[in-house]
Amino acid sequence: MKTIMLVDDDPHMIKALTEHIDWPSLGLRIAGTASNGVDALEQFERLRPDLVMTDVYMPGMTGLEVTQALRRNYPHLPIIILSGYDEFENARAAMRWGVNHFLLKPAEVEEIESVLREVLLEQEVRERHERLERTYKQEIGKVVPYLRKQFLHELLTTRYQANELPSERMNYVGIPLSAQVSAISLQLNRPGFLTKMKERDWQLLRYGAADIIQETIKEQSVRLPNSQVEILDYSDQVFVLLLFGGEELLHEMYSLVERMIDQVFTYLKMEMSVGIGTSKNHLCGVMDSYLESREALEMAEFQGGSRIYLYNSIQRVETSVHDYSILLQQWNESWADMKIDLAEEAWLLIHQMFKVGKCGLQDVQVVAVSLFNTLIHSWNRQYPLLRPPMAMSEFLRDIQTKYSLQDLLCWMDAFIGEWIEQTRKEMTEKKSNKLVDQVKQYVEQHYAEEISFEAIAKGLFVHPKYLSQLFKRVTGENFVGYLNGYRIQKAIELLQSGHYMVYEVSEMTGFRNATYFSQVFKMLTGKSPSEFG
């Protein structure tokens, strides 16, 4: 029940208000009464009533002066003036100080009760609004971080235009619109012996890696307080860092990422590869920076984990307009001779050329039609009684629904990949892959030496990326994993012979140093080298 304080120098008025107003039905209780302004202020501080009803003219301090004093510290306190003088100046002063109602004596009981109900309703509405506002502020503190993460995920997969990112929306979710932005992809390389772990154990390791990343980012916030770094849990093995700041932040993050790699390996015995995209001048470019970071990460497939790969530093395939005719000729000849591996190599080079080149949508559509025409003729020639994986009518219908270059390339990559796999299944003769066998043979002969995958690919006259994908498809693992596994197997044999020390075995199996050898050994076998001695 709310409380009210009555202030009037006329005791008969106080008695009348006390006895004739049905206070319980209004949900009110009289907390106290005062006969002058000074006493009223003293009692108010002690009783803290919810409402105040006061006369205007009283000895020592008028009701308007009491109102003025109360308003300084209690701006929302409901105050009702009950005066026996109909003076305009009093009414105007009462309005200036935010008096809720100005009643003239003698006032009817029904009128006073009606005013009290109205004041109580206004107070209830205001208090409910304040509660809602407090709840909103509490909840928005929980919701905004989620909305920010969700929107940043969208930025990595959806290409926005500048007019689709209004500053009001960006300010609401706490994303700077004008700052430079760049992306860093951190990929956890799940070692062989961890693939058989229970999902709970793997998620525990992921949580540990996320904790290391988060703690390291906190250090950056201290060093560069005006910058902002967002951590996105992008997939089961990939975290993405979005950097809102200039080159100074990107340079600072390089050393911090190196520390993340070391700590993840030291505490969790997992390798983490990192790809860093270039800095963009607008938030709309964050998707391009992210794709650059993933492209840089592809180098880890054949150069090894626990390293940082900069997009600006990777070597790319140089293409020109003349490459179209050369690669299309290779594509046509490969299908004429049913050399599927060469056809796939040609497609990978064409696809890469489209990604790094400045090709229009119509140019790619023309090439797509030429590629499909070769596929359909080759299929009908080889398997005239079998239905092709995609009919010409279906191809022409689907290609018209691709309105962006990215969608078109993804669609082409999908249907060409499916076509190649279907062709392989239909081929009666299972040919062993000489390229993969040659790579394995090279490892067997040179595992004790420094091995460069690019050098192997160059010696076999194939593109490193194609050879990497081919090796992984045939063997089920990437080159670095196979090389480490082969070296560790040889190391186990040497250790079990009892003729060599651990550091000798490390050198004999091609590792950089004994410490790194021991870490990789334990990561792959779950045991230290000394346990095999």
Side-chain angles (χ1 to χ4, degrees):
M1 181 176 289
K2 292 186 179 297
T3 58
I4 186 171
M5 185 171 73
L6 306 177
V7 185
D8 201 306
D9 61 339
D10 185 354
H12 298 290
M13 190 63 192
I14 293 292
K15 183 178 180 182
L17 291 172
T18 302
E19 294 178 353
H20 295 291
I21 301 298
D22 189 0
W23 298 107
S25 69
L26 296 173
L28 282 171
R29 176 177 61 82
I30 298 176
T33 63
S35 59
N36 59 74
V38 175
D39 187 32
L41 291 179
E42 292 177 354
Q43 287 198 52
F44 183 88
E45 293 300 330
R46 178 167 49 86
L47 301 174
R48 294 293 177 90
D50 298 299
L51 288 81
V52 172
M53 181 181 289
T54 180
D55 189 14
V56 173
Y57 291 104
M58 295 180 295
M61 179 180 286
T62 68
L64 294 178
E65 290 172 334
V66 171
T67 299
Q68 182 177 353
L70 289 174
R71 276 286 177 263
R72 292 192 185 100
N73 298 322
Y74 308 96
H76 300 298
L77 174 70
I79 299 177
I80 301 171
I81 295 291
L82 185 60
S83 174
Y85 298 91
D86 184 9
E87 293 185 2
F88 176 73
E89 285 301 321
N90 288 341
R92 188 170 67 174
M95 293 175 58
R96 185 168 65 247
W97 289 106
V99 170
N100 296 71
H101 284 277
F102 193 97
L103 291 172
L104 293 178
K105 298 177 183 178
E108 298 291 335
V109 170
E110 292 79 6
E111 182 183 5
I112 295 175
E113 290 181 347
S114 175
V115 166
L116 287 170
R117 288 192 184 94
E118 184 177 345
V119 170
L120 289 171
L121 179 60
E122 291 173 354
Q123 188 180 32
E124 182 181 352
V125 170
R126 180 181 57 77
E127 290 175 349
R128 176 172 294 184
H129 179 77
E130 290 176 351
R131 288 196 300 270
L132 287 174
E133 189 172 358
R134 285 194 300 268
T135 303
Y136 171 78
K137 289 179 179 179
Q138 292 172 357
E139 294 301 319
I140 206 65
K142 303 174 185 177
V143 173
V144 166
Y146 169 77
L147 294 177
R148 181 167 58 248
K149 298 290 186 186
Q150 186 181 49
F151 181 68
L152 290 174
H153 268 282
E154 290 181 19
L155 286 176
L156 300 185
T157 56
T158 305
R159 192 173 297 281
Y160 284 91
Q161 300 298 322
N163 59 0
E164 297 175 320
L165 300 175
S167 57
E168 184 177 354
R169 182 185 182 187
M170 298 299 96
N171 291 334
Y172 182 76
V173 296
I175 301 175
L177 185 62
S178 58
Q180 286 184 298
V181 60
S182 52
I184 299 177
S185 291
L186 303 93
Q187 179 172 290
L188 299 175
N189 300 325
R190 194 168 179 170
F193 80 94
L194 287 179
T195 57
K196 298 180 181 180
M197 291 179 64
K198 294 181 180 178
E199 183 62 23
R200 178 182 177 278
D201 297 327
W202 166 243
Q203 293 301 328
L204 185 61
L205 286 176
R206 284 186 72 254
Y207 178 82
D211 186 62
I212 290 173
I213 294 169
Q214 192 167 15
E215 288 299 318
T216 310
I217 293 301
K218 286 183 180 179
E219 299 179 22
Q220 167 271 329
S221 63
V222 175
R223 299 182 188 182
L224 298 173
N226 296 326
S227 62
Q228 180 177 339
V229 178
E230 293 288 341
I231 308 172
L232 299 182
D233 190 347
Y234 189 79
S235 68
D236 190 53
Q237 292 182 240
V238 175
F239 295 93
V240 178
L241 305 181
L242 296 182
L243 281 57
F244 296 92
E247 293 297 327
E248 183 183 5
L249 174 59
L250 196 59
H251 182 268
E252 173 73 16
M253 285 303 301
Y254 192 93
S255 60
L256 291 179
V257 168
E258 285 184 324
R259 191 177 311 161
M260 292 179 195
I261 293 174
D262 292 339
Q263 292 184 351
V264 167
F265 199 99
T266 300
Y267 294 110
L268 305 177
K269 296 299 180 284
M270 285 197 303
E271 291 185 334
M272 185 170 73
S273 303
V274 178
I276 300 181
T278 60
S279 180
K280 307 300 179 182
N281 292 323
H282 195 277
L283 193 60
C284 293
V286 69
M287 181 178 179
D288 293 322
S289 183
Y290 165 69
L291 293 175
E292 290 173 357
S293 72
R294 295 310 301 268
E295 185 175 342
L297 263 183
E298 292 177 1
M299 300 296 292
E301 293 184 7
F302 45 86
Q303 288 191 5
S306 294
R307 292 178 58 183
I308 299 176
Y309 299 91
L310 298 171
Y311 177 78
N312 282 336
S313 300
I314 63 176
Q315 295 182 349
R316 300 176 185 82
V317 180
E318 296 295 332
T319 57
S320 65
V321 177
H322 300 292
D323 291 327
Y324 280 107
S325 59
I326 298 173
L327 292 174
L328 287 176
Q329 182 179 356
Q330 180 181 338
W331 171 264
N332 294 335
E333 292 175 352
S334 300
W335 284 104
D337 299 332
M338 292 306 290
K339 295 179 179 178
I340 307 302
D341 292 338
L342 293 178
E344 187 173 36
E345 179 186 354
W347 162 242
L348 289 172
L349 292 173
I350 293 172
H351 186 269
Q352 182 69 8
M353 178 181 66
F354 286 144
K355 286 179 63 178
V356 302
K358 295 182 179 180
C359 305
L361 183 64
Q362 292 183 343
D363 294 334
V364 178
Q365 287 177 333
V366 171
V367 176
V369 172
S370 178
L371 294 172
F372 186 81
N373 188 57
T374 299
L375 288 175
I376 200 72
H377 280 88
S378 173
W379 185 276
N380 291 335
R381 184 177 65 255
Q382 294 292 328
Y383 315 111
L385 301 179
L386 293 178
R387 182 179 179 180
M390 180 181 288
M392 177 64 81
S393 58
E394 183 182 359
F395 169 83
L396 294 175
R397 181 197 65 203
D398 290 350
I399 198 173
Q400 295 300 321
T401 64
K402 311 306 172 187
Y403 301 110
S404 71
L405 184 59
Q406 183 181 2
D407 288 344
L408 178 58
L409 289 177
C410 289
W411 173 72
M412 288 174 62
D413 195 43
F415 91 74
I416 289 177
E418 292 173 4
W419 194 293
I420 289 175
E421 289 305 313
Q422 186 64 28
T423 302
R424 284 197 174 103
K425 291 178 182 179
E426 297 298 337
M427 294 176 69
T428 56
E429 182 180 2
K430 301 292 184 180
K431 296 182 178 180
S432 61
N433 196 299
K434 294 183 179 180
L435 285 175
V436 173
D437 290 340
Q438 287 175 294
V439 173
K440 289 183 176 181
Q441 184 178 2
Y442 186 91
V443 169
E444 293 172 5
Q445 295 174 354
H446 301 278
Y447 69 89
E449 307 169 11
E450 183 77 20
I451 292 180
S452 168
F453 189 84
E454 290 93 334
I456 297 176
K458 186 176 182 180
L460 296 175
F461 303 102
V462 293
H463 193 275
K465 186 175 180 181
Y466 162 68
L467 185 59
S468 171
Q469 293 176 338
L470 179 63
F471 189 90
K472 189 171 185 178
R473 186 179 68 244
V474 173
T475 64
E477 58 182 333
N478 61 36
F479 174 75
V480 173
Y482 175 81
L483 176 60
N484 283 341
Y486 188 87
R487 283 172 166 171
I488 294 301
Q489 189 58 44
K490 288 296 182 181
I492 291 174
E493 296 174 6
L494 293 171
L495 289 169
Q496 288 178 337
S497 71
H499 298 309
Y500 306 100
M501 302 294 290
V502 171
Y503 76 89
E504 292 178 309
V505 173
S506 171
E507 294 177 357
M508 295 170 69
T509 51
F511 285 95
R512 295 193 293 264
N513 55 64
T515 301
Y516 181 71
F517 164 69
S518 297
Q519 290 174 332
V520 175
F521 192 98
K522 189 167 185 178
M523 183 177 64
L524 294 181
T525 66
K527 298 180 180 180
S528 64
S530 60
E531 294 180 65
F532 283 86

